[in-house]
Amino acid sequence: MALVLKENFGEVPGEGHVEKWTLISSNVTVEIITLGCIITAIKCKDKNGDVNDVVLGYDDLQDYLANPRYFGAVVGRVANRIAKGRFVVDGKEYKLAINNGPNALHGGLRGFSKVIWTSEGVEGGVRLTLTSPDGDQGYPGEVQASVTYTLDGDTLSIQYQARTTKTTPINLTNHSYFNLAGQGSDDIYDHEVSISAQAYLPVDDNMIPTGEVKPTENTPFDLRGPVLIGQRLKEVPGPGFDHNFCLSSAGDERVCARVFHPASGRSLEVSTTQPGVQFYTANFLDGSFKGKGGASYPKHSAFCLETQNWPDAVNQASFPDTLLRPGEEYRHITRFVFSTA
Ligand code: GLA
C-alpha cells in the first residue's frame, strides 16, 4: 500500500482550506486536492525508468477553481449531459441550470467538481466526503457522497459511494485527461486504444444520445482493436471521439479499456463496475489554457476514459437505471492500472 502525505494547497476566500494529498507507491505517485477531488498529478515511469506526469492540469489553485474543462475532477451529481437540463422523478419535473448548449453538463454551474470536500486519510489513500443539500443545482434530495482514492503498486482505485434522502439521478466519474507521453505533449495520435464494447451510443447535434444502441462492428467506433488513435480520428465524423461505449455485464468489475503508448512503453488499463465509458479525445481543448509548467494543451492533446452510467439515462427509459432511492446505496469502483512494457 502507498505512503500517504498531506499538505496545505491553498485557501479559497470564504470557503476554506484546500489540502493536497500525495499517495506514493514504488512505481506511481498520485496527487489529489480536496477541491473537486481533483487528481492534479499522476507520475509514473516509462520503459527507461524516467518519470513523467501523465495527466493535464494547472500549477495554481486559482486555475483549478475555474477549470472549465474539468481537468482531473470528480464530476457530479450527474456526469455528462441531461437533455435540456430537465427530468421527471416520481411525477415531478426538475429543472437544472443549462450550461452546455441547450443541456445540463457535469452537475451544473457549481457541481461536485467545484466545491471543497472533507478529507481523511485511509490505508494507502484518502477518503473525501461531501454533503450536497436538497435542491443543490436543482437536484432532489440531500446526498451524502464519498470518493475514496487508494494506491497499491501500479493500481489507483477510485471507489464512489452515495446515499440520498429523496430519489435522485446520480452518476459520478473522474474526468482525468491522460497523455501517456507526458502532459504537455502535443497529441495522442501515437497512442493505441482498445475498448471492449460491442455497441456505442450515437448522438444528435446537441450531443444527446439518440436512443439507438448501435453495434460498433464495421464502424469507426469498433475499438476492440488495439487501434492507433491518430489513424482512427481521421475516420470518425466530427471533431473526434466524445461518445459513450456500452459495456456488457454491468455490476461486475471488468477491464473496459486499455491505452498503450509504444514510444514510452507506458500503458493504462481501466476496469470498472459501471455500464459505460465515455471516450473523449479532448476535442474542445484549443491551446488557450496555461497548463502545468507553462504547457499549452491543444485539441487532441489528451484522452479521457470516464466510466459512467449512460448519458441522459434519466430521460431514456431503455438505458440502465440511474436513480438512487432513499435507503439504497450507490457504490461503484473504477481502477486505473499504470504499467510499462
Ligand atoms: C465530457 C463531455 C465532453 C466535454 C468534456 C469537458 O467528456 O462529453 O463533451 O464536455 O466533458 O469539456
Side-chain angles (χ1 to χ4, degrees), residues 65-118:
L65 283 170
N67 199 9
R69 298 291 173 217
Y70 307 91
F71 290 162
V74 165
V75 286
R77 192 179 292 194
V78 176
N80 215 293
R81 293 177 180 76
I82 294 182
K84 301 190 173 72
R86 282 166 25 183
F87 60 89
V88 175
V89 170
D90 293 338
K92 186 166 181 237
E93 184 181 53
Y94 293 89
K95 290 190 178 149
L96 309 172
I98 303 300
N99 63 346
N100 182 258
N103 306 314
L105 177 72
H106 292 334
L109 299 173
R110 202 175 137 75
F112 288 11
S113 57
K114 299 283 185 281
V115 295
I116 301 175
W117 296 51
T118 302

Side-chain angles (χ1 to χ4, degrees), residues 215-274:
T216 53
E217 190 149 25
N218 298 322
T219 78
F221 295 88
D222 189 348
L223 300 180
R224 289 172 291 181
V227 164
L228 191 61
I229 293 180
Q231 191 59 41
R232 192 53 68 87
L233 276 171
K234 294 180 187 151
E235 296 163 34
V236 174
F241 288 98
D242 193 356
H243 296 81
N244 180 79
F245 286 77
C246 307
L247 307 172
S248 53
S249 47
D252 298 334
E253 185 180 340
R254 67 281 194 234
V255 174
C256 67
R258 185 165 187 269
V259 181
F260 177 55
H261 179 242
S264 67
R266 288 195 185 93
S267 73
L268 166 62
E269 189 177 83
V270 183
S271 65
T272 186
T273 50
Q274 285 287 62

Side-chain angles (χ1 to χ4, degrees), residues 108-150:
L109 299 173
R110 202 175 137 75
F112 288 11
S113 57
K114 299 283 185 281
V115 295
I116 301 175
W117 296 51
T118 302
S119 63
E120 60 180 319
V122 297
E123 200 193 340
V126 56
R127 179 166 183 266
L128 301 111
T129 51
L130 179 72
T131 302
S132 164
D134 190 1
D136 190 9
Q137 308 303 303
Y139 289 101
E142 179 183 288
V143 167
Q144 300 282 347
S146 77
V147 174
T148 308
Y149 292 103
T150 49

Side-chain angles (χ1 to χ4, degrees), residues 28 42 44-45 54-55 154-158 174 176-181 191-195 255-262 264-271 277 279 302-307 334-341:
V28 182
I42 298 179
C44 56
K45 292 178 187 150
V54 296
V55 288
D154 291 340
T155 304
L156 174 65
S157 302
I158 314 177
N174 179 279
S176 286
Y177 286 68
F178 299 97
N179 186 319
L180 299 180
H191 289 50
E192 296 167 5
V193 65
S194 31
I195 299 181
V255 174
C256 67
R258 185 165 187 269
V259 181
F260 177 55
H261 179 242
S264 67
R266 288 195 185 93
S267 73
L268 166 62
E269 189 177 83
V270 183
S271 65
V277 61
F279 179 48
F303 65 90
C304 302
L305 287 162
E306 304 155 59
T307 54
T334 291
R335 284 182 230 273
F336 294 120
V337 183
F338 301 90
S339 47
T340 45

